[in-house]
Amino acid sequence: MDIIHDQFAEEQREIEKRLSVILDAVRAKDFERLAGYHLHSSKFTKFNEAEPMRRLDIDENNRTEQEEFAAVDRFVGTIPDLQVDVFGPAAIATGILEYTFEAGEESGTGAIRMTLVFANDGGDWKIAHEHLSTFAPNS
């Protein structure tokens, strides 16, 4: 096994499916299921552009994700340019998450750069690190 050059096609498909069910959990506001897709360990970390503006641990991540998505009435997200690179028991998924949302009287669309690091936890791919950042395309 060459973790640098082998493609790990089956694992790539597993992670692509995992990302699809993650987006479904966000859409359904199923916070328990969403939390279950994250690595529950002191090794979990997250950076994004929401408060608090610092590295989050797993408990802070679960709390802030629930707060962020609880007010959303409708969410649709896609990752049309997804790239998944598997390195044996770890993988990196990168792409642009394009989304639309409705929250009360407010609605909008957007796109964020996304990097997710996955760890294989006993055959189950879990998010070990998230980094999300906004950008304005063509600006």
Side-chain angles (χ1 to χ4, degrees), residues 60-74:
E60 292 170 313
N61 173 72
N62 292 341
R63 180 183 51 77
T64 59
E65 282 186 349
Q66 187 167 352
E67 289 171 359
E68 290 169 13
F69 293 117
V72 175
D73 300 314
R74 183 175 171 274

Side-chain angles (χ1 to χ4, degrees), residues 24 27 59 86:
D24 182 61
R27 182 194 52 75
D59 294 328
V86 178

Side-chain angles (χ1 to χ4, degrees), residues 42-53:
S42 62
K43 293 183 178 183
F44 175 88
T45 56
K46 178 178 182 176
F47 282 117
N48 68 8
E49 294 180 340
E51 293 293 333
M53 297 295 290

